[in-house]
Amino acid sequence: MTLLTKITNEAINENLEKRWKNGEIYASIITYIGHVLISVNPFRDLGIYTDQVLGSYRGKNLLEMPPHVFAIAEAAYHHMSSYKENQCVIISGESGAGKTEAAKRIMQYIAAVSGGGQNSSIQEIKDMVLATNPLLESFGCAKTLRNNNSSRHGKYLEIQFNAQGEPVGAVITNYLLEKNRVVGQIENERNFHVFYQLTKAAPPEYQEAYGLQGPESFLYTSRSGCLDVEGINDVTEYSETIKAMDIVGLQKHEQDEIFKMLAVVLWLGNLLFVEGDDGNAAISDPDVANFIAYLMEVDGESLSKALTSRVMETQRGGRRGSVYEVPLNVTQATAVRDALAKAVYERLFEWIVQRVNLSLQTRGGDQYVIGVLDIYGFEIFDDNSFEQLCINYVNEKLQQIFIELTLKAEQEEYVREQIQWTPIKFFNNKIVCDLIEEKRPPGVFAALNDACATAHADPSAADNSFVQRLGFLSSNAHFESRGSKFLIRHYAGDVLYNVEGMTDKNKDSLLKDLLNLAAASTNSFIAQTLFPERIDPNSKKRPPTAGDKIKLSCNALVTKLMQCHPSYIRTIKPNDNRSSSEFNDKRVLHQVQYLGLCENIRVRRAGFAYRTTFEKFVERFYLLCPATGYAGDYIWQGDSVSGCLEILKHNNIPQDEWQMGTSKVFIRHPETIFALENLRDKYWHNMATRIQRAWRAYVRYKWECARKIQRFWRQNKYNIGYLQAREYGHELLGGRKERRRFSLLSMRKFTGDYLDVRGGTGLATMIRNALTLKGGEEVVFSMRGMTLVPRAMRSSVPSPRTLVLTNQSLHVLVTTKNGKMITMTDEKILSLNVISSVSTSTLRDDWIVLHVDNSPDGDTILSCIFKTELMVHLAQQSGGRIRVDATPQIQYKKKGGKTVTMKFVKNEKIPRDDVYKSHVVNVPSGESANSASMPPCPTKPRLTATSSRKPAARKPAASAARSAPRPKPAAAISSPATSRPLPPIQNNARPTPPPPPPAPATPSHPQFKAIYPFQSQEAGEIAFEKDDLLEIVEKDENGWWLARKDGKEGWVPSNYLEEYVAPKPTPAPPPPPARRAAPPPPPSAGSATSSSPKPRSSISPPSIGGGSTAPVAVMPGIAAPSSNGVPPWKAQLEARKAAAAGGSGGSPAPTPAPRPGPGAAPVPAARRAPPAPGPKPAIPAKPSTMGKPVIPARPGSGAPTPAPRAPPRPTSTSPPSNAAASLADAVSVIK
């Protein structure tokens, strides 16, 4: 709208007409105080309020999308969330222009975008806020001549939000319900919607209990002759009203009381009066009065008396006088009846609003509010009374707010801030507001109150007194008195008001008789809820009039609105016929004029769209300049004015787009501030992206570290378990015993089952068959050792035994030979429960004593190379109960209970192990008792297939030299014959052979050749056939290697392979010599010195001996050609020929060819055939854990499982393997 070429009311009107006919009912004006939306009622559904349309406006600024009521709601919500300011949306316009619909769409949008997620409390608040629309429409809206759903009350809804922008509560403020509509309407209008909903759709229980019938049966609903409205289904609306009551929390008994009060109002309308013989009023149908008394739960006689008579009291000198009961005539009785009906409905409506506010009470701390004002529009009727005066007064106050904020306050601020500005003239309606509300000089409301106070007994006298007092206002240019009427020139037009009945409406007081009647009701809802006040007979305070109430509430509303950041919706009614095709130019032009749109657009085009204090601007946009913000932190140390300049200049904002005031910065166009907001949003988006990128990098690094740890763990977890058991052995000994050198080696592992009793074959099978195992007994440790065998009358001697330790017992097996049969017997079984302790010496010997409780055979003495490991397993399987003692001498019990002492003597003459004789053990010195295990041997780093990142490994110089490609023969690179032009080739010459192929690339991993076929169906393994070549990626010590074949990786048995050595490449054969031409005649002496060029023939190898034509290969080491391109041997040959020709003229003697130089490559010998492979070894079944042993348990845990050994790998160049069958054998070989 601000882009119009001409800014006139006619141009605005023409623009609105074009938009309206194209279905674009919205136009917008942006000012610094908010958005001004112009809405023209289309009187039809355009489909522009769907969820899809709503979603398209979410998060968009005012210029990104076309003007829409959703854009106003988004701007208000965004401003509240971003700038932490309260917001309000002021909707104004004539009746029927679409104010109520706009208010509903504002609440629809805010409820949709205000967050809350799955929070049931916040969702409940949203549902209740939306439910207030149908509920209050039913009780506060009615059909008028201009609008089928006209709001006959004002409503200001404040939605309360927490700091996160989530709705936590709401407050509804009600303004000036048009209660006169309850008792009378002009022709073709209706009462409030709820009466028609109840009479048409009331359930049978209400019909029977409250005597409800159709709307035509009640005078208050049928007097105007309009029972139905086009486009409104009263039955459906009744269901919506009941649903809204349930949502806002009205209980069933509360709903019953509400509909009972509505029935009371309807039946009061059917209570008619007739004139009696004495001229006083009498009830025509007492049954109606009795039914009303039944509904109100009062005495029927008291009701009739309160409606047909009035109690009056005289006073004398401030003292109470006589009390009189004055009968009423028919007119007076009818007025009393209508007053009671209006009072019941008005108080019922106010209670509903209070009850809704109770349900919407804030839940949690509220920080900000968004207010939506939906109030009746400006009204001009043929007969305007007190209600129209109050309504137009409120609209004048709202127009004053608009003028104060958009026109007057803006220009005053430009002057105050010393901003360059061209003033714009406008009409300030403050003079009209003062005309109505001022006390000094008295305005219309003040004159009305004075008339009511001085002539309160007679309404006609009070009206005449009011007319007289209006004469004092004749000096005001916007007021004109016309007898019993007066005219006020409002901003929206001139309105002529009728004085008759105005003073009586202003009193708004209920007779004491009716208040006493309500107080006497046995229905607590009537006596305590609707009419809680009690009459104080001694009070002389004048009750507030209706004018006082509306003025007080309107000023409170203005105060609230002035504390908020406002946005405006200016509704326009295109015609008075509710037609969707008629655009009344004159009617719309009048609304454009009094709404002040022309002045508003001029101010917008000449002024600045945005302004804020320096401090708030820097606080908002410090992120956009590196001098004021870094990584989201505020770092500016200077003053706020300099900070604003830094931000504006850094973002290249043109100088004409902003001005610096004395305390604020001003931005001219909204596009600029939107651009800054967009940059701010992008900054946070980029920061979030950086955080996400850093987080993803951290997560990736964490997973890589985890994979490295897992890879290391998979490679070393079994060793770790063995090493833990080994360290536990050090703890058991506690530095009390000298150590064997082998026990401190880094590769020493406590593998346990050295004889492979659990799953081995051969000897292991014999041991398993000899063992007497119980249920659940599992082998933990097995080893060859010795025990002391007693002899009669002689000392005990060591005897070899097989030691097997299970999780329950220690088995000592003896091997005997009977003839040619070898048998093995479980000689002794010691339960771990009877072993109390283990003793060993402080020297490096291998003897241990098992102290057994109450054994007739005495203690058991064992000699075992892996004694420390045996003691570890004993401690582990007993849960640490078996203790280990280390003493210089060991006392033990022999058979029969005799105590014997075993002595240990250090003897360096003993070459190895120890020597036992007669209870004395001679042993050489060992390593220190406090010796620690040697550190792990250094290993060559290697890359595994599971590595996610493969850094370039540094190779040692030697390995790099080995892996360097071998130099190719010179013949394969370049030949002297091909380095110069060739002579013409004869027809019988052989073609030149092609160059030899390049040498094969050296593989990056060692290659092995399969000597047996291997077929497997298990996952993780690859099959291969005999003579297949495989690249070995990783070698594992358990006999299974990680190999690659045809790009696929998997595990293969190592003893099926042998290392493959690629044969050395055979040098390429020399090219065959060209067939020689016939020898030319011997040249003469003169021809030898001829300077004519001689054609070069193809290079042929020199002959050996008698001119043999056997070719000689051109190999590296032959001298290089001379500078003129002729090889030395050729030059020598030519020189000899020339010398021979010059000397004797005879045939030259043959000269032997020169020998190859030392650099010539020899012809490689033929590759020797590999010997026949040995028999195929048996490969144990690969377990699911890749054949790895189980980690030994700590004391008190389960028993460990030993690692199976890979069978010996056959080779083609060595005899069958004689590897030790056990680690003990290996130790014996080492020592």
Side-chain angles (χ1 to χ4, degrees):
M1 190 68 77
T2 58
L3 301 179
L4 293 176
T5 305
K6 296 177 60 178
I7 305 300
T8 62
N9 291 325
E10 290 74 14
I12 297 174
N13 188 20
E14 182 182 358
N15 183 271
L16 292 177
E17 182 179 4
K18 291 180 179 179
R19 289 173 178 267
W20 187 80
K21 290 182 178 179
N22 290 333
E24 301 174 6
I25 64 172
Y26 293 115
S28 61
I29 306 170
I30 304 174
T31 65
Y32 86 95
I33 50 88
H35 194 76
V36 179
L37 182 71
I38 303 172
S39 172
V40 185
N41 195 339
F43 293 115
R44 57 193 173 102
D45 184 9
L46 298 177
I48 58 176
Y49 302 115
T50 62
D51 293 338
Q52 183 179 1
V53 176
L54 186 150
S56 65
Y57 281 84
R58 181 176 300 185
K60 304 295 179 59
N61 63 50
L62 296 173
L63 298 181
E64 289 187 78
M65 300 293 290
H68 199 285
V69 66
F70 290 158
I72 282 283
E74 170 61 30
Y77 182 75
H78 173 75
H79 200 97
M80 179 201 71
S81 302
S82 300
Y83 296 94
K84 311 303 179 185
E85 294 181 4
N86 295 334
Q87 305 290 308
C88 67
V89 181
I90 301 175
I91 309 173
S92 59
E94 291 190 3
S95 177
K99 298 184 299 299
T100 302
E101 184 68 19
K104 290 193 293 185
R105 299 308 175 184
I106 291 286
M107 288 184 279
Q108 173 192 352
Y109 186 87
I110 292 176
V113 304
S114 54
Q118 302 298 325
N119 191 318
S120 59
S121 176
I122 293 177
Q123 187 61 41
E124 184 182 10
I125 290 293
K126 291 182 181 181
D127 294 339
M128 287 194 292
V129 168
L130 296 178
T132 59
N133 289 321
L135 179 60
L136 296 183
E137 279 186 16
S138 297
F139 285 86
C141 296
K143 177 195 178 299
T144 63
L145 295 177
R146 295 186 175 183
N147 187 3
N148 288 343
N149 189 34
S150 176
S151 295
R152 308 319 299 163
H153 73 107
K155 178 184 68 174
Y156 184 56
L157 172 63
E158 294 177 282
I159 306 175
Q160 301 166 331
F161 295 86
N162 58 16
Q164 289 74 38
E166 300 169 343
V168 294
V171 177
I172 298 176
T173 305
N174 176 48
Y175 298 100
L176 190 64
L177 176 70
E178 188 190 9
K179 58 185 178 181
N180 285 331
R181 182 168 293 273
V182 175
V183 298
Q185 313 90 35
I186 63 176
E187 187 178 358
N188 206 27
E189 289 192 351
R190 289 207 318 178
N191 208 327
F192 292 101
H193 293 322
V194 69
F195 290 112
Y196 301 91
Q197 296 174 7
L198 180 63
T199 53
K200 292 182 180 180
E205 55 179 300
Y206 284 171
Q207 294 178 1
E208 182 178 355
Y210 306 147
L212 295 176
Q213 304 172 25
E216 68 279 355
S217 302
F218 297 99
L219 184 65
Y220 284 165
T221 55
S222 61
R223 178 178 296 173
S224 63
C226 180
L227 302 180
D228 299 300
V229 179
E230 182 181 358
I232 296 179
N233 188 330
D234 293 312
V235 177
T236 304
E237 296 293 333
Y238 176 79
S239 301
E240 294 294 328
T241 302
I242 296 297
K243 181 180 179 181
M245 288 182 174
D246 295 334
I247 292 176
V248 299
L250 287 172
Q251 304 297 324
K252 183 63 170 62
H253 67 90
E254 294 175 324
Q255 298 179 22
D256 295 342
E257 294 294 341
I258 290 173
F259 292 119
K260 181 188 286 188
M261 292 304 103
L262 295 178
V264 168
V265 173
L266 290 173
W267 281 106
L268 280 173
N270 286 359
L271 187 63
L272 303 179
F273 299 96
V274 296
E275 186 175 352
D277 297 336
D278 52 1
N280 299 326
I283 298 175
S284 63
D285 189 353
D287 292 338
V288 176
N290 292 334
F291 188 73
I292 295 174
Y294 161 75
L295 293 177
M296 295 183 64
E297 299 184 27
V298 297
D299 181 62
E301 189 67 25
S302 300
L303 175 63
S304 300
K305 186 177 179 179
L307 294 177
T308 57
S309 63
R310 179 179 179 184
V311 177
M312 301 186 64
E313 182 180 356
T314 61
Q315 295 183 359
R316 292 181 180 179
R319 294 179 297 176
R320 298 182 62 183
S322 302
V323 178
Y324 301 94
E325 183 175 330
V326 180
L328 305 177
N329 56 30
V330 174
T331 303
Q332 293 172 336
T334 302
V336 171
R337 177 204 65 184
D338 291 344
L340 178 59
K342 291 188 291 184
V344 170
Y345 189 81
E346 180 187 27
R347 296 182 180 223
L348 176 64
F349 184 81
E350 292 178 350
W351 176 84
I352 292 175
V353 173
Q354 294 175 2
R355 181 63 180 80
V356 171
N357 286 338
L358 183 63
S359 298
L360 291 173
Q361 191 172 7
T362 179
R363 303 170 189 185
D366 59 300
Q367 300 289 333
Y368 316 104
V369 300
I370 294 180
V372 181
L373 178 62
D374 176 19
I375 206 164
Y376 20 63
F378 197 89
E379 293 184 348
I380 304 177
F381 297 136
D382 294 335
D383 185 14
N384 302 288
S385 186
F386 181 74
E387 293 82 7
Q388 281 69 44
L389 176 64
C390 294
I391 290 173
N392 294 340
Y393 163 70
V394 173
N395 281 271
E396 285 283 356
K397 295 292 289 185
L398 296 179
Q399 178 68 10
Q400 185 183 10
I401 294 177
F402 183 79
I403 291 173
E404 286 286 340
L405 294 179
T406 61
L407 303 175
K408 181 173 181 292
E410 183 169 4
Q411 300 194 67
E412 290 177 353
E413 186 171 22
Y414 291 153
V415 176
R416 185 171 59 253
E417 292 288 333
Q418 302 177 9
I419 299 297
Q420 298 179 5
W421 170 257
T422 302
I424 295 177
K425 294 181 180 181
F426 61 92
F427 169 70
N428 191 344
N429 72 329
K430 187 177 185 303
I431 186 174
V432 181
C433 296
D434 294 342
L435 171 66
I436 300 174
E437 67 180 2
E438 275 297 315
K439 292 184 178 181
R440 297 289 185 274
V444 175
F445 282 152
L448 197 57
N449 290 340
D450 291 343
C452 293
T454 57
H456 56 273
D458 188 1
S460 300
D463 291 341
N464 293 331
S465 176
F466 176 51
V467 172
Q468 295 175 4
R469 284 172 169 78
L470 290 177
F472 297 103
L473 303 176
S474 58
S475 60
N476 193 310
H478 296 271
F479 179 83
E480 183 180 339
S481 179
R482 298 183 179 180
S484 61
K485 298 181 180 181
F486 63 93
L487 182 141
I488 297 179
R489 293 182 175 88
H490 291 282
Y491 77 97
D494 299 344
V495 181
L496 185 64
Y497 296 98
N498 191 354
V499 175
E500 182 180 359
M502 193 171 285
T503 55
D504 194 39
K505 295 176 181 179
N506 183 53
K507 290 179 183 179
D508 194 34
S509 60
L510 199 62
L511 295 177
K512 295 182 180 180
D513 299 339
L514 297 180
L515 291 176
N516 292 331
L517 176 68
S521 173
T522 58
N523 187 338
S524 60
F525 185 74
I526 296 176
Q528 299 177 11
T529 303
L530 299 184
F531 297 89
E533 69 271 23
R534 296 296 177 261
I535 300 174
D536 184 6
N538 299 322
S539 176
K540 297 181 180 181
K541 182 179 180 181
R542 182 176 65 87
T545 62
D548 294 334
K549 293 178 182 179
I550 190 62
K551 186 171 67 173
L552 182 64
S553 60
C554 184
N555 288 329
L557 173 63
V558 170
T559 303
K560 282 185 178 180
L561 296 179
M562 294 292 287
Q563 294 174 352
C564 299
H565 182 277
S567 299
Y568 295 91
I569 300 180
R570 313 289 268 176
T571 58
I572 293 178
K573 190 175 183 179
N575 59 76
D576 292 327
N577 300 322
R578 297 190 293 273
S579 171
S580 61
S581 59
E582 177 185 351
F583 191 89
N584 191 328
D585 291 340
K586 185 177 180 180
R587 188 80 173 82
V588 176
L589 181 62
H590 175 67
Q591 298 176 70
V592 170
Q593 290 174 344
Y594 75 70
L595 288 175
L597 299 181
C598 183
E599 292 81 2
N600 189 219
I601 295 174
R602 287 176 180 172
V603 171
R604 159 66 187 89
R605 292 182 63 165
F608 294 84
Y610 173 84
R611 70 204 58 193
T612 188
T613 60
F614 299 135
E615 293 78 8
K616 287 187 177 180
F617 185 84
V618 176
E619 181 182 355
R620 179 70 179 169
F621 299 110
Y622 71 90
L623 302 168
L624 305 183
C625 178
T628 56
Y630 175 75
D633 293 333
Y634 184 88
I635 62 173
W636 181 248
Q637 301 296 330
D639 59 282
S640 55
V641 179
S642 302
C644 291
L645 292 173
E646 286 286 342
I647 295 172
L648 292 171
K649 292 179 180 179
H650 178 76
N651 290 278
N652 301 319
I653 306 301
Q655 180 66 41
D656 58 351
E657 274 294 314
W658 54 272
Q659 284 193 40
M660 304 293 287
T662 59
S663 62
K664 296 182 180 180
V665 57
F666 291 77
I667 306 294
R668 183 174 297 278
H669 293 103
E671 294 86 351
T672 303
I673 194 65
F674 291 153
L676 291 176
E677 289 286 353
N678 189 35
L679 289 175
R680 185 178 182 273
D681 293 341
K682 287 183 177 179
Y683 179 89
W684 286 123
H685 177 76
N686 293 337
M687 290 297 293
T689 304
R690 292 173 62 185
I691 293 173
Q692 291 172 352
R693 183 167 61 246
W695 171 255
R696 293 191 187 102
Y698 162 74
V699 171
R700 183 171 59 252
Y701 176 75
K702 183 178 70 173
W703 282 107
E704 289 178 358
C705 294
R707 283 192 290 267
K708 289 180 180 178
I709 295 172
Q710 291 170 355
R711 184 166 61 249
F712 176 81
W713 175 254
R714 282 193 293 267
Q715 294 174 356
N716 298 278
K717 61 181 178 180
Y718 309 105
N719 300 341
I720 290 174
Y722 299 142
L723 295 178
Q724 287 176 348
R726 178 180 175 184
E727 293 300 323
Y728 183 58
H730 294 336
E731 295 177 7
L732 285 179
L733 296 179
R736 298 174 294 174
K737 184 178 178 62
E738 293 183 358
R739 309 304 303 275
R740 294 170 62 102
R741 179 176 56 85
F742 181 76
S743 64
L744 301 178
L745 296 178
S746 62
M747 67 284 296
R748 172 72 173 95
K749 303 173 184 178
F750 286 7
T751 54
D753 189 10
Y754 294 100
L755 302 181
D756 196 15
V757 176
R758 283 196 297 265
T761 58
L763 179 61
T765 303
M766 182 181 294
I767 297 174
R768 281 200 308 271
N769 296 334
L771 288 174
T772 305
L773 300 179
K774 302 177 182 178
E777 195 170 2
E778 296 180 358
V779 175
V780 176
F781 177 84
S782 62
M783 187 67 193
R784 294 191 180 96
M786 293 186 295
T787 184
L788 286 183
V789 178
R791 296 186 297 177
M793 305 302 293
R794 301 174 65 183
S795 62
S796 302
V797 295
S799 177
R801 294 291 187 274
T802 300
L803 308 178
V804 178
L805 177 66
T806 67
N807 57 345
Q808 297 180 12
S809 306
L810 174 64
H811 299 259
V812 181
L813 287 77
V814 60
T815 303
T816 59
K817 182 177 181 181
N818 187 7
K820 295 183 179 181
M821 293 292 294
I822 297 177
T823 59
M824 186 172 288
T825 307
D826 200 347
E827 181 183 26
K828 180 184 293 187
I829 302 176
L830 293 177
S831 174
L832 299 183
N833 296 327
V834 301
I835 301 176
S836 60
S837 63
V838 179
S839 296
T840 184
S841 72
T842 57
L843 303 182
R844 54 147 287 183
D845 60 285
D846 298 329
W847 292 90
I848 61 173
V849 177
L850 306 180
H851 300 281
V852 183
D853 296 334
N854 303 322
S855 174
D857 296 333
D859 297 336
T860 301
I861 301 94
L862 301 175
S863 176
C864 178
I865 296 177
F866 293 160
K867 57 189 176 303
T868 305
E869 184 174 356
L870 177 59
M871 289 187 288
V872 166
H873 288 295
L874 286 172
Q876 286 181 340
Q877 300 304 322
S878 65
R881 180 184 58 80
I882 300 178
R883 70 178 186 275
V884 176
D885 298 326
T887 57
Q889 298 180 354
I890 302 177
Q891 291 186 350
Y892 66 95
K893 294 181 179 180
K894 295 180 63 176
K895 185 174 182 180
K898 180 180 179 181
T899 302
V900 180
T901 301
M902 179 182 288
K903 298 180 182 181
F904 297 86
V905 179
K906 188 174 291 189
N907 187 352
E908 303 299 339
K909 296 181 180 179
I910 303 300
R912 54 182 295 178
D913 297 336
D914 53 57
V915 177
Y916 174 87
K917 186 175 182 181
S918 300
H919 305 296
V920 177
V921 177
N922 290 272
V923 60
S925 298
E927 302 293 333
S928 173
N930 296 321
S931 300
S933 298
M934 298 179 183
C937 299
T939 58
K940 180 180 178 180
R942 58 188 178 185
L943 296 177
T944 60
T946 57
S947 299
S948 58
R949 290 186 177 180
K950 299 183 178 180
R954 296 182 178 179
K955 297 183 178 180
S959 61
R962 287 194 302 268
S963 61
R966 298 179 179 178
K968 299 179 182 179
I973 300 175
S974 176
S975 174
T978 61
S979 62
R980 59 178 182 267
L982 300 176
I985 302 177
Q986 299 180 4
N987 294 336
N988 55 356
R990 297 181 182 178
T992 306
T1002 305
S1004 59
H1005 296 285
Q1007 287 188 319
F1008 281 72
K1009 181 180 180 181
I1011 56 178
Y1012 304 110
F1014 176 70
Q1015 301 295 331
S1016 175
Q1017 302 297 330
E1018 296 187 16
E1021 299 178 356
I1022 56 176
F1024 53 82
E1025 300 295 334
K1026 184 180 179 181
D1027 296 332
D1028 285 351
L1029 293 181
L1030 293 87
E1031 291 186 32
I1032 302 302
V1033 179
E1034 179 183 350
K1035 296 182 180 180
D1036 210 333
E1037 60 186 6
N1038 66 346
W1040 289 88
W1041 291 355
L1042 183 63
R1044 181 185 296 120
K1045 179 178 179 291
D1046 300 331
K1048 181 180 179 183
E1049 292 188 359
W1051 295 95
V1052 297
S1054 60
N1055 50 359
Y1056 276 51
L1057 309 173
E1058 70 172 359
E1059 187 172 4
Y1060 173 73
V1061 179
K1064 295 182 180 180
T1066 305
R1075 185 178 300 274
R1076 287 181 180 272
S1084 61
S1087 65
T1089 58
S1090 175
S1091 60
S1092 62
K1094 180 181 180 181
R1096 297 177 181 177
S1097 60
S1098 66
I1099 304 300
S1100 300
S1103 60
I1104 301 176
S1108 176
T1109 60
V1112 177
V1114 179
M1115 300 296 293
I1118 297 179
S1122 61
S1123 59
N1124 59 359
V1126 180
W1129 64 269
K1130 181 67 174 179
Q1132 294 175 7
L1133 180 60
E1134 294 293 340
R1136 290 193 191 100
K1137 287 181 179 180
S1144 60
S1147 174
T1151 305
R1155 295 180 178 272
V1163 179
R1167 185 175 180 270
R1168 292 189 299 270
K1176 178 181 177 181
I1179 296 293
K1182 179 175 176 291
S1184 60
T1185 58
M1186 288 297 179
K1188 297 287 188 177
V1190 181
I1191 302 174
R1194 301 288 287 178
S1197 60
T1201 305
R1205 298 187 310 276
R1209 187 173 355 115
T1211 60
S1212 59
T1213 59
S1214 62
S1217 174
N1218 292 324
S1222 67
L1223 193 57
D1225 296 340
V1227 173
S1228 62
V1229 172
I1230 293 175
K1231 295 193 175 182

